[in-house]
Amino acid sequence: MSSGPLLEIRDLKKWYPARTTGFVEGLFHEQKYLRAVDGVSIDIREGEILGLAGQSGCGKSTFGEMLAMLTKPTEGDIVYDGQDVTTFSKEEMKQYKRKCQIIFQDPYESLNPRFSVGRIVREPLVIHGIGDKEERDERVEKALSDAGLKPPESFVHQLPSELSGGQRQRVSIARALVLEPDFLIADEPVSMLDVSISTGILNLFRTLQEERNLTIVYISHDLGTIDYLTDRTAIMYLGNIVELGPTSKVVDESAHPYTDLLLSAMPNPYLTVEREDVAMGDVPDAIDLPSGCRFRPDCAYATEKCSRSEPPLRNIDAEQLTACFYPINGKDYPEE
Amino acid sequence: MTLLELTDVSISYSVDATELHAVDNVSFDAEEGEIIGIVGESGCGKTTLAKSILQLLPPNGRVDQGEIMWKGEDLVQLSRKDLNKSIRWKEISWIAQSAMNALDPVYTIGAQLRETLKIHSYDEKPIDEQVDYLLKRVGIDPGRKRNYPHELSGGQRQRVVIAMALALDPPMIIADEPTTGLDVGIQKEILDLITEIQTNRGMTMLLITHDINVVAEIADRVLVMYAGQLIEQGTKQEIFDDPSHPYTIGLQNAFPRLGQRSRTLVTIPGAPPNLVDPPSGCRFKTRCPFSTDECSIDPPLETTSNGHVAKCHYTEKKDEFQEMGQIPGTWVDRR
């Protein structure tokens, strides 16, 4: 299913200028930055579903927006098909955006309430000047039916307000599919849907991966759905990836203490073993970062070494990477 | 001791000259000191039901029938003035879903806590001392009482809302989606805080949520609602280990479980019925893979074991349903 990288992301950064409290302070202090994404490198493989997990403010959504080039990176490269996307001309960017589609969390706000379903799904074809009327109709119907809205002709004339939340999210997916993209970024696509509905959307992503070899970046705070859906998982903390590997390994044999903490905070009715009581709160803000490892202040295993230097994301076995000097679960972190 | 007793409560909303029957004939009791979780999907009537207890329904909503007895007094019949004076905050308090909306943005959190205490003529201790105590109780530095809501994080705001609910030390708290929209880490913190307070004070809690995991985390007893009706009720173990209503069985198999990634999750076909004109008979029948002709007759709440009830004609076949319910192919659209 998966082969070489579809996208190579190198040292990607998004820094936002942080507001200082007053004019005088602004004069005498250097400009501070909120490091939403702070040097992320990862290969996204063709045909894989990659999960991106972390708490609010960890930078996962900003990262997704940069992949779709909806947010311009401060620094770093996104290499697609041998070319750096961040240096694309307007015309090249239009072509790139055809290949890369994004789906948002809220199906109630991401669809124009005055457009019929048919028009919503047709619009990308119009923007990209693809096909004549007949071909467009055909592609719209195929996209609707691939997104599970069957029969498509019963949906084309409906307005979003006439659809349920799950059906609306399927319309967003159809709109993304109509351009036959290479990859899809789905940012919390099911977090606003009821359980009985959201499973259908997750299963649809799987079908799309199997049938179209579609690459999907699935962003969610919910490790339960990540575990169910994805092939590989990246755990983000304060703008960095702290762990990356096959989902089964990240979940069952997590190496980074933060991953462990995140997993233990998930309510789980079917857990058979008693959980340790963990304290876990807000992620600190990404402006005044601690020295060394960013997770150090909240880490139960931190030593003096962790405050001296920041552990890079390195392989602990063939598939699993972690950014921790002292990985848990008997793993060894290579010394410099 | 039974604190709260709802009998045959039906609630409707007037919407554009039609009646939407949001809650239909719901009865349940709340015993002193227990945490009851009410779960169900959007529009199942769980929040409407909870709001009716404190007469918090919007102007177009009303209780059509039934009794809501609190320590022997019918809250439905009580005037709003009497309810304000003797029930709200003192006997039953409310933790709202969105902490940002529940707090007034132009007053400091200290002022808002003080107001709650003052209005209800709290005079056991000096009010300022009590404000400090309450903030400490929910894990917020009392020095923060001079802060405005926007200066606090989402988790801290939710803690302040909990502090307000605790202000007059009521025997019962109703929490409507207290952790929805909060980060996983903060969710854990808030749930731990709620459990701790409940254990220490022996408080009775009604917890309304769409998240079955949250209920599993802290509830003693679970009520499952579907299309305005109570369709299953039992202890947490009964609901999770031995679900008897096909809807509950479906939900159980629709939830991803960590570490069981090979399991294919089921999708319950269709959508809940329109409650303006609810279908006759079992309201789940059009989505239920096990429904028969008999399901056009409204099923009673059948007891499957002591205290465990389900609104289904076929509760005796629950073992078979549980087994078949795990197979995604069972849940095909039959319409």
Side-chain angles (χ1 to χ4, degrees), chain B residues 137-159:
Chain B
R137 187 70 200 74
V138 295
I140 290 181
D141 171 16
R144 308 280 313 244
K145 67 185 169 193
R146 283 174 210 91
N147 284 152
Y148 289 91
H150 78 267
E151 295 175 290
L152 305 177
S153 72
Q156 286 171 328
R157 285 198 288 263
Q158 192 59 289
R159 284 166 184 270

Side-chain angles (χ1 to χ4, degrees), chain B residues 12-24:
Chain B
S12 62
Y13 291 107
S14 310
V15 185
D16 302 335
T18 58
E19 294 292 303
L20 191 141
H21 306 279
V23 172
D24 181 55

Side-chain angles (χ1 to χ4, degrees), chain B residues 13 76 82 131 224 226 231 264 324:
Chain B
Y13 291 107
V76 181
D82 288 339
V131 168
V224 185
Y226 179 78
I231 56 115
T264 308
M324 290 178 68

Side-chain angles (χ1 to χ4, degrees), chain A residues 55-56 194-196 199-200 203 206 223-225 227-228 248 251-252 263-265 267 269-270 275 277 280-282, chain B residues 41-42 153 183 185-189 213 216-217 240 252 254-259 261 263 265-268 287:
Chain A
Q55 286 177 269
S56 326
D194 279 318
V195 204
S196 70
T199 322
N203 288 342
R206 264 199 191 165
L223 282 164
T225 58
D227 184 36
Y228 175 66
S248 55
V251 172
D252 298 341
L263 282 164
S264 62
Y270 302 100
R275 256 196 337 228
D277 227 9
M280 186 184 192
D282 286 314
Chain B
E41 300 185 295
S42 350
S153 72
D183 197 69
I186 301 157
Q187 164 168 310
K188 173 93 173 51
E189 254 181 44
N213 288 317
E217 190 80 3
F240 286 102
Q252 187 196 34
F255 245 105
R257 298 179 201 172
L258 272 178
R261 59 193 70 84
R263 215 166 53 106
L265 298 178
V266 309
T267 315
I268 303 175
R287 305 175 78 189

Side-chain angles (χ1 to χ4, degrees), chain A residues 314-336:
Chain A
R314 295 174 72 167
N315 277 83
I316 46 171
D317 63 30
E319 286 278 350
Q320 196 174 5
L321 295 87
T322 192
C324 176
F325 292 129
Y326 308 104
I328 43 183
N329 277 333
K331 301 286 168 74
D332 270 324
Y333 186 76
E335 292 295 327
E336 313 256 337

Side-chain angles (χ1 to χ4, degrees), chain B residues 63-127:
Chain B
V63 178
D64 293 325
Q65 61 155 42
E67 283 179 341
I68 301 175
M69 302 298 279
W70 173 258
K71 295 180 176 169
E73 189 173 21
D74 189 354
L75 299 182
V76 181
Q77 303 304 330
L78 217 58
S79 73
R80 203 159 274 211
K81 198 174 151 207
D82 288 339
L83 192 85
N84 266 336
K85 217 168 107 193
S86 57
I87 304 289
R88 287 182 180 171
W89 301 104
K90 276 187 183 158
E91 294 285 331
I92 307 174
S93 58
W94 177 267
I95 298 175
Q97 173 169 2
S98 163
M100 197 57 200
N101 298 338
L103 296 172
D104 191 327
V106 299
Y107 291 100
T108 62
I109 57 166
Q112 296 185 54
L113 279 167
R114 218 172 291 130
E115 194 191 359
T116 311
L117 293 165
K118 220 186 247 166
I119 285 177
H120 292 277
S121 55
Y122 183 93
D123 50 20
E124 277 174 38
K125 266 189 230 168
I127 283 183

